[in-house]
């Protein structure tokens, strides 16, 4: 996976200052000079000169450019998931003529991660090398919010041996890190399409090289002799050939509505909840045997899942940096739903009203599901009348997914995660996975 090029940040030249001890030494030296002139006591001048000399030496120790530092930072996990932990290891190589200065180190952390990235300097495992010292520092981090961020630079705060001046340097490059949305486990859909998964979706109207479930037909001129079904021919007395059922690719579509006006003024975490639901649903559907496309409401492809691990990672990376679009509104799903008639169609949106919900087409999808983070009181019932299975998307995507899967078109589900009911007709009880295998008439197209 290609990672963004590291950006280099210049060192902070203003991280040098005099401490309270240094200021006190300077003040005492000035008072000694004044006292020597007033009291005619030359010995006080010698003491003042000693203090001034210490201040000069301390300033040279801190202000003079003296260090060359190389920082190598490695993150244990290539992708950090929100809520998960990982470890960052830094290898620091310090080139200096003197011993390493004492102080503290800290690594700058973005708001997208939490961690304790600080400690004493030099580190406990510091080892001398020709012309300097090498050491390693390790600290844990956890994903707090999805996004593309950077770790670093390393901040090193040191002081002179007398504690009169301090110096803070920003050293090394930053290291990019990707925090991807969490993928939460979801229950299976209660309908036959959900329970059977992609394996239930076959078409038997085409000829060709398919599965071994055969349906013989009469021979017509032009059929290959290698396709003659000899057993059926002997049974019926007419020349019969194999008509093989060709399995179609499982097909599911997940639509993430990015229209800015549907997210404007909403809870700042609402879009993150929608992204988490989008990732969880897409991965859940591909695990059930569907080939999944993830698009926005204008039909722009965000990710495609066919079961490969790198496709899953690619989708999560795309979702890590996705944001609502500003200054536009996507009406309906003309591009996203066109031609989608077989498997589940899942629409995840923000704030919608009845007009929005009533104009959402689903193209005759086998299982159309609409999840909204916020909606007017009559919005979800209006969408349900269009054939959608609806639910309000709260803090728990699994609850919203289960409610939408259990709902019948024509009713609206409760507000998942918040307990506030929408207008709703009673929905049938959900059937558990243990209900047994799907019947032979499972949703076949």
């Amino acid at each position: 996976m290609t990672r963004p090029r590291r950006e280099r940040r210049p060192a902070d030249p203003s991280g040098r200052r005099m401490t309270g001890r240094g200021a006190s030494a300077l003040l005492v030296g000035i008072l000694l000079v004044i006292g020597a002139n007033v009291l005619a006591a030359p010995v006080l001048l010698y003491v003042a000169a000693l203090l001034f000399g210490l201040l000069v030496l301390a300033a040279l120790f801190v202000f003079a450019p003296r260090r060359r530092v190389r920082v190598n930072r490695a993150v244990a996990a290539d992708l950090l998931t929100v809520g998960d932990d990982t470890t960052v290891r830094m290898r620091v190589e310090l080139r200096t003529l003197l011993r390493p200065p004492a102080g503290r180190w800290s690594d700058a952390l973005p708001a997208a991660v939490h961690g304790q990235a600080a400690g004493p300097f030099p580190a406990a495992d510091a080892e001398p090398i020709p012309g300097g010292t090498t050491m390693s520092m390790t600290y844990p981090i956890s994903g707090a919010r999805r996004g593309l961020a950077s770790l670093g630079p390393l901040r090193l705060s040191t002081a002179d041996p007398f504690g009169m001046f301090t110096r803070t340097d920003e050293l090394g490059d930053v290291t990019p890190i990707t925090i991807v949305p969490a993928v939460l486990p979801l229950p299976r859909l209660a309908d036959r399409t959900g329970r059977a998964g992609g394996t239930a979706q076959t078409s038997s109207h085409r000829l060709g090289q398919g599965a071994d479930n055969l349906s013989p037909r009469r021979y017509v001129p032009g059929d290959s002799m290698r396709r003659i079904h000899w057993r059926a021919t002997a049974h019926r007395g007419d020349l019969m050939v194999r008509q093989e059922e060709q399995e179609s690719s499982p097909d599911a579509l997940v639509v993430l509505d990015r229209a800015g006006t549907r997210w404007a003024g909403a809870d700042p975490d609402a879009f993150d909840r929608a992204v988490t639901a989008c990732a969880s649903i897409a991965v859940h559907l591909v695990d059930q045997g569907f080939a999944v496309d993830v698009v926005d409401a204008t039909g722009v492809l965000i990710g495609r899942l066919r079961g490969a691990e790198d496709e899953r990672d690619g989708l999560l990376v795309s979702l890590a940096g996705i944001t609502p679009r500003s200054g536009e509104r996507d009406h309906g799903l003309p591009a996203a739903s066109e031609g989608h008639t077989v498997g589940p169609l899942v629409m995840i949106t923000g704030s919608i009203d009845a007009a929005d919900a009533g104009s959402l087409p689903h193209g005759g999808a086998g299982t159309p599901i609409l999840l909204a983070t916020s909606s007017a009181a009559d919005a979800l019932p209006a969408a349900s009348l269009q054939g959608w299975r609806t639910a309000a998307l709260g803090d728990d995507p699994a609850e919203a997914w289960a409610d939408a899967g259990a709902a019948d078109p024509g009713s609206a589900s409760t507000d998942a995660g918040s307990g506030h009911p929408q207008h709703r007709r009673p929905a049938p009880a959900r059937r558990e996975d243990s209900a047994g295998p799907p019947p032979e008439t499972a949703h076949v197209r």
Side-chain angles (χ1 to χ4, degrees):
M1 183 182 299
T2 303
R3 307 195 73 176
R5 187 178 61 180
R6 294 183 176 185
E7 60 178 276
R8 190 174 186 84
R9 297 183 184 178
D12 180 12
S14 61
R16 299 165 175 83
R17 65 182 182 86
M18 179 182 291
T19 65
R21 181 181 298 179
S24 298
L26 178 60
L27 180 60
V28 170
I30 294 174
L31 293 177
L32 289 175
V33 171
I34 295 174
N37 291 326
V38 172
L39 302 175
V43 68
L44 298 180
L45 289 176
Y46 295 117
V47 178
L50 177 62
L51 289 176
F52 292 148
L54 288 176
L55 286 169
V56 172
L57 289 176
L60 290 176
F61 186 88
V62 171
F63 295 154
R66 68 192 185 283
R67 292 193 292 265
R68 290 184 301 161
V69 180
R70 178 179 300 170
V71 180
N72 293 318
R73 189 183 292 101
V75 185
D78 290 336
L79 299 177
L80 178 60
T81 302
V82 173
D84 285 355
D85 301 326
T86 190
T87 301
V88 180
R89 182 181 178 87
M90 289 190 301
R91 190 72 178 175
V92 179
E93 185 178 299
L94 177 65
R95 298 287 181 174
T96 179
L97 298 177
L98 305 175
R99 64 176 179 83
R104 290 189 63 82
W105 66 269
S106 64
D107 211 17
L109 298 182
V113 301
H114 293 158
Q116 296 293 329
F121 187 87
D125 67 344
E127 299 177 358
I129 59 174
T133 305
T134 183
M135 66 197 75
S136 62
M137 289 86 84
T138 303
Y139 62 89
I141 59 173
S142 61
R145 193 180 188 90
R146 67 175 183 89
L148 307 177
S150 297
L151 301 176
L154 174 66
R155 292 193 180 103
L156 183 58
S157 299
T158 57
D160 65 89
F162 307 106
M164 296 183 178
F165 294 91
T166 61
R167 173 176 180 169
T168 301
D169 294 304
E170 292 188 352
L171 307 171
D173 296 333
V174 299
T175 301
I177 184 172
T178 302
I179 303 94
V180 300
V183 176
L184 305 177
L186 302 178
R188 285 195 175 193
L189 293 177
D191 70 343
R192 285 176 285 185
T193 301
R195 288 189 289 108
T199 57
Q201 303 174 51
T202 60
S203 59
S204 59
H205 62 281
R206 298 175 58 186
L207 303 180
Q209 304 296 324
D212 196 26
N213 37 358
L214 308 176
S215 176
R217 62 172 177 83
R218 291 181 181 275
Y219 173 85
V220 295
D223 286 337
S224 172
M225 296 299 293
R226 288 180 295 183
R227 298 182 58 243
I228 293 179
H229 196 302
W230 295 110
R231 181 177 297 178
T233 298
H235 179 71
R236 298 191 181 185
D238 293 323
L239 197 60
M240 307 293 291
V241 296
R242 295 182 181 90
Q243 176 173 288
E244 299 170 342
E245 290 186 346
Q246 182 181 14
E247 294 188 3
S248 63
S249 297
D251 186 18
L253 191 66
V254 180
V255 183
L256 178 62
D257 189 358
R258 298 172 55 203
T261 53
R262 290 197 176 116
W263 303 101
D267 178 2
D269 295 329
F271 189 74
D272 282 346
R273 293 200 306 271
V275 172
T276 299
C278 177
S280 302
I281 292 170
V283 173
H284 171 76
L285 290 176
V286 78
D287 288 344
Q288 300 305 312
F290 294 97
V292 182
D293 284 352
V294 181
V295 300
D296 67 10
T298 61
V300 176
L301 183 67
I302 299 174
R304 177 171 286 131
L305 298 180
R306 299 296 183 268
E309 187 68 23
D310 57 345
E311 293 174 340
R312 179 182 182 274
D313 290 345
L315 171 64
L316 294 180
V317 169
S318 297
L319 292 176
I322 203 167
T323 58
R325 288 190 296 264
S326 60
E328 67 174 278
R329 188 183 186 103
D330 304 326
H331 292 283
L333 303 173
S337 64
E338 183 177 356
H340 185 86
T341 59
V342 180
L345 169 64
V346 183
M347 173 71 172
I348 304 170
T349 187
S351 177
I352 60 173
D353 54 26
D356 292 328
S359 63
L360 291 178
H362 54 70
T367 308
I369 293 177
L370 174 64
L371 303 178
T373 61
S374 177
S375 62
D378 54 351
L380 294 185
S384 182
L385 292 176
Q386 300 297 319
W388 292 90
R389 300 179 176 213
T390 63
L393 180 59
D395 294 331
D396 186 0
E399 185 178 351
W401 179 251
D403 287 344
D408 280 334
S411 66
S413 178
T414 55
D415 187 355
S418 64
H420 297 297
Q422 303 285 347
H423 296 292
R424 177 181 183 179
R425 287 187 292 178
R430 295 204 307 266
R431 286 175 287 181
E432 305 295 335
D433 291 343
S434 60
E440 293 182 359
T441 57
H443 194 74
V444 177
R445 293 182 180 267

